[in-house]
Amino acid sequence: MVELRSLEPDDWPIWRELRQAALAEAPYAFGSTLAEWQGSGDREDRWRARLGIPGALNVVAVVDGRPAGMASGVPVEHAEDSVELISMWVSPLARGRGVADRLIREVERWAAARGATRLRLSVMPANVRAVALYERHGFADTGLLGDLLPDGTGRERVMAKDLTDG
Ligand SMILES: CC(C)(COP(=O)(O)OP(=O)(O)OC[C@H]1O[C@@H](n2cnc3c(N)ncnc32)[C@H](O)[C@@H]1OP(=O)(O)O)[C@@H](O)C(=O)NCCC(=O)NCCS
């Protein structure tokens, strides 16, 4: 059974466990690194601040009673009609069961409820599973330049979905 739960700053230990697992398991997928969130970077105030981003949604998927997936929706600076999907990860044992589908739909629902008309995201071009997932959900390339990749030349793909399409 898959249940979704929205987290508040007090839930930071749940987010910490999932996010550190995500950064350890899928470093190819994220701009952040495990090193940034371990050791001196692994502090309660940082995790609380991450969950306390104003106007954001932080949701975890609880699969058969255990937190096993995560995603956030965050406001986009200087673009009131847009929100961004970030931090998407599903534990390997829970993949292929539609957990990411549920997380994306929840972020979309939240985005539409707050009046956003556009949901965007950045994805590493080589992350074919994630790109396929997003295309299946109606996201398309925007042509915007994403962040530089660690190789110093490539860029993240910026994809977006119009939430007014029904
Ligand atoms: C990308 C990622 C989030 C997908 O998570 P997921 O929960 O496996 O995704 P879903 O189950 O919703 O969909 C994935 C596949 O399962 C299939 N599926 C969906 N529901 C299913 C079900 N009930 N039973 C069996 N398969 C199902 C989908 O058709 C899809 O097929 P595909 O692999 O051919 O595309 C996950 O692989 C992941 O966390 N990867 C590492 C981190 C990452 O890349 N994050 C994205 C950063 S931009």
Side-chain angles (χ1 to χ4, degrees), residues 26 28-30 88-90 95-101 122-123 127 129-130 133-134 136:
Y28 59 83
F30 303 109
M88 165 71 71
W89 180 75
V90 174
R95 286 181 192 159
R97 293 175 58 177
V99 174
D101 290 340
S122 293
V123 60
N127 192 352
R129 183 164 190 176
L133 171 77
Y134 298 139
R136 188 155 53 75

Side-chain angles (χ1 to χ4, degrees), residues 18-150:
L18 282 176
R19 184 64 173 161
Q20 288 186 335
L23 294 172
E25 188 275 327
Y28 59 83
F30 303 109
S32 305
T33 65
L34 182 59
E36 289 163 5
W37 289 91
Q38 269 186 335
S40 60
D42 180 14
R43 297 193 319 271
E44 178 176 339
D45 63 315
R46 281 191 87 205
W47 295 109
R48 283 184 177 276
R50 170 61 184 82
L51 289 181
I53 294 174
L57 170 79
N58 300 289
V59 61
V60 299
V62 181
V63 181
D64 301 331
R66 291 191 56 140
M70 65 198 306
S72 293
V74 295
V76 177
E77 231 179 306
H78 310 305
E80 269 177 27
D81 62 333
S82 298
V83 291
E84 186 164 11
L85 173 67
I86 64 170
S87 302
M88 165 71 71
W89 180 75
V90 174
S91 158
L93 287 175
R95 286 181 192 159
R97 293 175 58 177
V99 174
D101 290 340
R102 293 276 305 271
L103 289 165
I104 291 172
R105 284 200 295 267
E106 181 64 7
V107 173
E108 279 184 22
R109 189 201 55 71
W110 162 85
R114 75 193 299 280
T117 56
R118 209 167 147 77
L119 180 59
R120 80 179 198 200
L121 59 85
S122 293
V123 60
M124 302 294 179
N127 192 352
V128 290
R129 183 164 190 176
V131 169
L133 171 77
Y134 298 139
E135 284 175 340
R136 188 155 53 75
H137 279 266
F139 288 85
D141 281 318
T142 61
L144 292 172
L145 277 186
D147 287 349
L148 267 181
L149 299 182

